Amino acid sequence: MHIYSIFTVIDYVIFAVLLAASMGIGLYYALSGGRQRTTQEFLMADRSMGCLPVSLSLIASFQSAVAIIGVPAEIYTHGTQYWFIGCAYILGLLIPAHIFIPVFYRLRVSSAYQYLELRFSKAVRICGTLTFIFQMVIYMGVCVYTPAFALNAVTGFELWGTVLATGLVCTLYTTLGGLKAVIWTDVFQTVVMFAGQLAVIVVGVQKTGGVADVWRKVWEGNRISGLDLNPDPTERHTFWTLGVGGVFLMLSLYGVNQAQVQRYLSSRTEKEAVRSCYMVFPSLQLALALSCVMGLVMFARYCGEDHSDKLASSSRDAMVIYFVMDMLHGLPGLPGLFIACLFSAALSTISSAFNSLATVTMEDLIKPQYPAMTEARATLLSKVLAMSYGLLCLAMAYLTHLMGDSVLQVALKIFGMVGGPILGLFCLGMFFPWANSIGALVGLCVGLVVAFWLGIGSILTRSTRPLPLECSANVTIAIQTAISLFFSQPSGLKRFYSLSYMWYSGFNCTTVILIGLIISFLTGPTKEEDVMPGTLYPLLGKLFCFLPEHLKKKLCCVTPLGQTVSEKIDLIAKNLPLNKTELVYFSSLCKKFSQKCNSATHHLYIHI
Ligand SMILES: O=C(O)CCCC[C@@H]1SC[C@@H]2NC(=O)N[C@@H]21
Ligand code: NA
């Protein structure tokens, strides 16, 4: 039984226009520019992108329907504690901007996992790539499934037909238009996403009696959580699990995830890439604020009642759609706008995932095996891969159907369980020169095993206790908390399983680094001079900058960060005994040289 069949023709038109616009952008990039004939264009957008589209595309990659639906459900059930994840965005973006981007950008890699071969070995690169593929395929399944399932639960909007339509449109424009199409559709879809959420908030506040009324109800309903500094790591959401554990989550996404690294590398210069990372911060805070406020307005609207009886599913996620349709029905076009917002969020994430999966499969798994492959065949194969990943993710959507739990929790657990160990692998390589490839391999494997042991263990023994829904329930909460404190405090393994999922990224990253270092020292640590230049970041040197030079030498990693080729040429040019005319001749010589080399050195220019 479905509550609302409120979709008027105009709503379907708006949804169709969204899909058509995305297709249009994809076709435009398939027929313009280099017409997607080379992998440099198809996978790297010719490294010609500006910081604005890149920054909006960076947001879109990991802001899908999961956040649009899952965050309001989270705020409605547990209060605004989740909002503190915004504190993790500061370090979570500064570290990628000043550590990961320079290393990746100056190595001129196309995929993040090429770094692993340069620093360790081909085996480490392949394991890193396969882990990434595993993570993104499951995550894509959640992203395709979420909007279709939520809509079907409330509005009877055709479920699998929607999943199919979304998946096919997305596969088509990603396959036709490559990274340029994906980035520009992400820009368009991010705007639609913000518009849809804003519409729900404006109408919702207006229908719930205005801002003052909403504030009073959420305040009385104890939904405005204070700063919870409880150090207990098994406490689901505290300032520490969100603000500190969240930093590791952000690093695994915005620091080393291929979908984001590819965007940094598609920027026209390193400065543009760093600038796009900075520009992500305000938009990410806005996205977080919009979804948290939506959850508060929803609480103000229903604080006491529980409508799950009326819905086809008892999950709070479906409740969010019920709230939206309750607010927007009778306003023709707005339900269609929200549907467009939901699917824009989903499409922009799925297309980024497809494109990054096709890139790593080509760059890390196929090209190294078939170096003689022609450009045309390689590009064709990339397109076939994008199509096959599209179909695979439809299958994963069905798997999500079986996962239960809140979609936000599922997505964040996947990032923690799989993204965390990958982050550990890169940190091991960049910050610890002694790490060798055996250590890296064993560290990654042990990290993944421990991550899945913890993740699955927590699912089997879970007992999240949502706050009571009554509006003014201060007394019962106090009693309930006292009771839970008295009975809880599980010990031993159960305590291990009850580690907050927001610590998974940090915990698994640390496991990989520790195991990796132990194994490296046991099997003969790498000497600093044997490490490929440009693959180390002198983090320890910077952290212990107060130490005397000889000790830092002992601690190693005082090597300066890899210089760009142009910096090296400048250095040479300055030291050469050349006069002005000879310098000009030298620079024209370098330009000819760089045109002959492959694009890897195409920014070989000289400042005179
Ligand atoms: O929305 C999704 O698809 C995944 C859930 C959010 C992923 C993390 S949470 C912190 C960071 N901020 C975002 O908007 N996305 C990532
Ligand atoms: Na998205």
Side-chain angles (χ1 to χ4, degrees):
M1 195 265 271
H2 300 293
I3 309 293
Y4 293 101
S5 52
I6 55 157
F7 291 105
T8 61
V9 172
I10 189 171
D11 296 316
Y12 282 103
V13 166
I14 288 188
F15 180 57
V17 163
L18 159 82
L19 293 185
S22 303
M23 269 309 289
I25 296 173
L27 282 171
Y28 172 75
Y29 283 108
L31 305 173
S32 72
R35 302 163 68 87
Q36 306 305 329
R37 283 232 176 73
T38 66
T39 51
Q40 273 305 320
E41 181 172 15
F42 184 73
L43 300 176
M44 301 311 293
D46 279 334
R47 298 180 195 262
S48 61
M49 299 306 288
C51 57
L52 182 70
V54 170
S55 70
L56 286 174
S57 174
L58 285 166
I59 307 277
S61 298
F62 291 109
Q63 177 77 22
S64 76
V66 171
I68 306 280
I69 294 175
V71 176
E74 162 66 30
I75 301 298
Y76 182 82
T77 316
H78 295 280
T80 53
Q81 193 64 237
Y82 178 81
W83 207 328
F84 283 110
I85 201 167
C87 307
Y89 292 175
I90 301 164
L91 273 182
L93 289 167
L94 277 178
I95 294 174
H98 295 289
I99 294 186
F100 293 110
I101 292 179
V103 171
F104 286 130
Y105 203 90
R106 296 177 188 179
L107 288 174
R108 307 292 309 163
V109 291
S110 294
S111 114
Y113 307 99
Q114 275 172 279
Y115 167 85
L116 295 175
E117 180 168 357
L118 294 173
R119 171 70 177 83
F120 293 118
S121 67
K122 184 184 278 289
V124 178
R125 172 183 186 176
I126 290 176
C127 290
T129 304
L130 293 175
T131 311
F132 167 78
I133 291 173
F134 177 63
Q135 172 187 355
M136 292 307 266
V137 164
I138 298 184
Y139 172 52
M140 257 194 322
V142 179
C143 291
V144 167
Y145 182 75
T146 302
F149 150 72
L151 279 174
N152 177 265
V154 179
T155 64
F157 206 81
E158 172 42 42
L159 176 58
W160 295 107
T162 324
V163 167
L164 220 53
T166 316
L168 288 184
V169 163
C170 178
T171 310
L172 273 177
Y173 77 69
T174 306
T175 307
L176 292 172
L179 185 63
K180 277 183 188 169
V182 170
I183 286 181
W184 285 107
T185 46
D186 282 354
V187 171
F188 164 71
Q189 288 157 354
T190 301
V191 170
V192 173
M193 185 165 70
F194 286 155
Q197 287 180 292
L198 212 56
V200 173
I201 290 170
V202 167
V203 171
V205 167
Q206 196 244 338
K207 282 196 172 180
T208 318
V211 176
D213 237 22
V214 167
W215 175 257
R216 180 178 53 75
K217 286 182 179 169
V218 296
W219 182 260
E220 281 175 6
N222 187 35
R223 261 7 182 224
I224 306 293
S225 338
L227 193 59
D228 179 350
L229 294 174
N230 179 345
D232 178 358
T234 64
E235 196 57 42
R236 184 173 170 278
H237 279 173
T238 66
F239 175 73
W240 308 117
T241 62
L242 291 160
V244 178
V247 171
F248 289 95
L249 169 70
M250 289 294 289
L251 292 185
S252 73
L253 296 177
Y254 289 85
V256 299
N257 186 286
Q258 172 62 21
Q260 307 300 57
V261 170
Q262 209 167 318
R263 278 153 181 71
Y264 298 141
L265 296 173
S266 72
S267 306
R268 75 173 70 98
T269 64
E270 182 181 317
K271 280 189 179 30
E272 284 288 294
V274 173
R275 203 172 297 142
S276 66
C277 201
Y278 271 82
M279 288 167 71
V280 163
F281 182 79
S283 329
L284 215 49
Q285 292 293 354
L286 174 67
L288 180 64
L290 285 174
S291 34
C292 290
V293 167
M294 199 162 121
L296 289 175
V297 175
M298 180 171 139
F299 181 80
R301 175 86 181 160
Y302 301 121
C303 52
E305 315 128 51
D306 186 5
H307 292 253
S308 49
D309 50 319
K310 297 181 189 148
L311 303 182
S313 112
S314 64
S315 87
R316 293 275 185 281
D317 300 331
M319 180 94 185
V320 171
I321 302 294
Y322 173 84
F323 160 66
V324 170
M325 294 311 153
D326 182 18
M327 293 294 106
L328 299 183
H329 79 276
L331 302 168
L334 287 190
L337 174 64
F338 187 77
I339 305 297
C341 152
L342 215 50
F343 280 92
S344 296
L347 278 176
S348 53
T349 297
I350 298 158
S351 57
S352 304
F354 278 178
N355 187 275
S356 58
L357 283 168
T359 304
V360 298
T361 312
M362 271 315 291
E363 294 295 327
D364 297 309
L365 300 181
I366 292 173
K367 269 189 181 169
Q369 308 307 333
Y370 306 99
M373 183 184 279
T374 63
E375 199 50 53
R377 279 175 60 83
T379 313
L380 178 71
L381 190 53
S382 310
K383 296 181 176 182
V384 168
L385 282 169
M387 175 68 83
S388 50
Y389 276 120
L391 303 179
L392 179 62
C393 101
L394 296 182
M396 292 312 293
Y398 187 70
L399 186 93
T400 313
H401 186 57
L402 312 175
M403 250 188 230
D405 216 345
S406 94
V407 285
L408 182 64
Q409 197 119 330
V410 168
L412 293 181
K413 277 192 177 179
I414 295 168
F415 292 147
M417 288 159 62
V418 191
I422 297 178
L423 173 65
L425 192 57
F426 280 98
C427 293
L428 186 68
M430 285 188 191
F431 309 142
F432 303 97
W434 316 286
N436 60 30
S437 48
I438 303 162
L441 277 177
V442 172
L444 178 67
C445 297
V446 170
L448 285 169
V449 166
V450 169
F452 276 83
W453 174 30
L454 173 60
I456 293 167
S458 78
I459 291 174
L460 299 179
T461 61
R462 80 177 145 205
S463 63
T464 42
R465 44 184 190 279
L467 294 170
L469 283 171
E470 291 70 40
C471 262
S472 52
N474 295 323
V475 173
T476 40
I477 289 175
I479 295 170
Q480 192 160 41
T481 315
I483 293 169
S484 68
L485 275 180
F486 181 71
F487 283 112
S488 71
Q489 303 318 335
S491 59
L493 209 52
K494 256 181 83 58
R495 188 157 170 73
F496 173 61
Y497 290 145
S498 54
L499 178 74
S500 162
Y501 70 95
M502 283 307 296
W503 280 119
Y504 284 10
S505 298
F507 179 77
N508 296 324
C509 169
T510 312
T511 312
V512 169
I513 292 176
L514 288 181
I515 302 289
L517 285 177
I518 292 169
I519 301 292
S520 298
F521 280 113
L522 289 179
T523 58
T526 313
K527 289 186 187 53
E528 169 142 359
E529 52 274 8
D530 298 339
V531 175
M532 163 78 78
T535 59
L536 283 182
Y537 183 86
L539 180 76
L540 296 181
K542 287 186 191 272
L543 286 183
F544 301 125
C545 53
F546 49 85
L547 285 181
E549 206 49 39
H550 69 281
L551 244 186
K552 271 169 55 173
K553 269 251 173 294
K554 198 92 193 63
L555 248 185
C556 79
C557 51
V558 286
T559 42
L561 184 60
Q563 291 148 329
T564 60
V565 177
S566 55
E567 280 159 353
K568 284 196 185 75
I569 297 275
D570 280 355
L571 220 59
I572 299 166
K574 280 197 191 81
N575 301 340
L576 289 179
L578 298 171
N579 62 37
K580 197 87 179 130
T581 44
E582 282 161 334
L583 257 181
V584 170
Y585 174 65
F586 177 75
S587 81
S588 67
L589 206 66
C590 288
K591 277 199 175 48
K592 285 198 191 72
F593 166 74
S594 72
Q595 259 112 39
K596 287 213 173 35
C597 294
N598 65 17
S599 63
T601 53
H602 85 83
H603 67 295
L604 194 72
Y605 48 77
I606 313 282
H607 298 295
I608 300 287

